[in-house]
């Protein structure tokens, strides 16, 4: 286990990403003391019996030394909600739990930053580092000797080959492939299915041809 304590958890968010995290945590015997969501109707079934609180401010009723937070806000391109929640509560002395699925394959010589989340069947290979508050989503692969910045989202089935480096706040879409040795600058967006073979400057946006991304053509 990556966590050396068993504090009750406060899950921020009641949507899809939060429900996936809840499923992992419940299967590991963790106690979810409360879920934060503005509307109870938005909370998924897996969290239906969990104490529901409606605003982030209500978290402050819980002592920051007696609970741990779980960032259940999904990370989509150009969205700052997850990052803002993380920064706000860290500034108040709260700590975010690191979540790693039992089915993820984490090398004993890999390193997962505080508050990062590695989901089912994901791989983090030897020598790789995952920055805090990052998501390594279902079945994605981070190969050997990669360095992933803070607040990244490595989406479902994405593959990062060896020695890939990313800055902070990078989004790598589903089924994207980053060839070995590539550096991706901070705040860049790599679209679904894109193959990246050379370095990417900060704040770049790379999408596959429109014929392959019709639902993203107007973004």
């Amino acid at each position: 286990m990556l966590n050396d304590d068993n504090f009750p958890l406060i899950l921020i968010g009641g949507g899809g990403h939060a429900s996936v995290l809840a499923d992992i945590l419940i299967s590991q015997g963790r106690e979810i003391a409360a879920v934060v969501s503005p509307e109870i109707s938005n909370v998924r079934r897996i969290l239906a019996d969990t104490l529901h609180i409606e605003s982030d401010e209500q978290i402050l009723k819980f002592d920051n030394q007696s609970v741990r937070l779980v960032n259940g806000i999904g990370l989509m391109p150009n969205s700052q909600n997850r990052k803002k929640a993380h920064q706000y509560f860290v500034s108040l002395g709260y700590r975010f739990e690191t979540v790693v699925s039992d089915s993820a394959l984490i090398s004993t010589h890999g390193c997962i930053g505080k508050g990062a989340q590695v989901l089912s069947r994901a791989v983090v290979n030897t020598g790789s580092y995952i920055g805090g508050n990052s998501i390594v989503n279902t079945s994605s692969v981070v190969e050997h000797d990669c360095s992933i910045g803070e607040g990244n989202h490595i989406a479902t089935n994405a593959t990062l080959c060896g020695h890939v480096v990313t800055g902070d706040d990078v989004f790598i879409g589903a089924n994207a492939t980053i060839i070995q040795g590539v550096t991706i600058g901070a705040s860049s967006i790599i679209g679904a299915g894109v193959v990246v073979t050379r370095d990417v400057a900060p704040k770049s946006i790379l999408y596959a041809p429109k014929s392959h991304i019709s639902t993203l053509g107007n973004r």
Side-chain angles (χ1 to χ4, degrees), residues 67-98:
V67 298
R68 294 291 180 264
L69 306 185
V70 175
N71 199 339
I73 301 171
L75 201 168
M76 296 300 291
N78 299 318
S79 173
Q80 294 292 308
N81 292 339
R82 179 182 173 89
K83 182 177 182 178
K84 288 179 179 178
H86 183 268
Q87 290 177 334
Y88 174 65
F89 285 108
V90 167
S91 74
L92 296 176
Y94 289 88
R95 286 192 277 176
F96 281 84
E97 192 81 345
T98 304

Side-chain angles (χ1 to χ4, degrees), residues 95-147:
R95 286 192 277 176
F96 281 84
E97 192 81 345
T98 304
V99 179
V100 177
S101 169
D102 290 342
S103 67
L105 298 177
I106 312 296
S107 169
T108 56
H109 298 286
C111 184
I112 310 298
K114 291 291 186 181
Q117 298 161 356
V118 184
L119 304 190
S120 299
R121 300 184 303 280
V123 176
V124 177
N125 227 324
T126 184
S128 287
Y129 172 76
I130 307 299
N133 199 38
S134 287
I135 301 168
V136 181
N137 219 319
T138 305
S139 296
S140 55
V141 176
V142 178
E143 261 299 343
H144 64 87
D145 301 303
C146 291
S147 180

Side-chain angles (χ1 to χ4, degrees), residues 5-20:
D5 54 51
N6 198 33
F7 286 93
L9 304 172
I10 309 295
L11 180 59
I12 303 174
H17 184 63
S19 67
V20 171

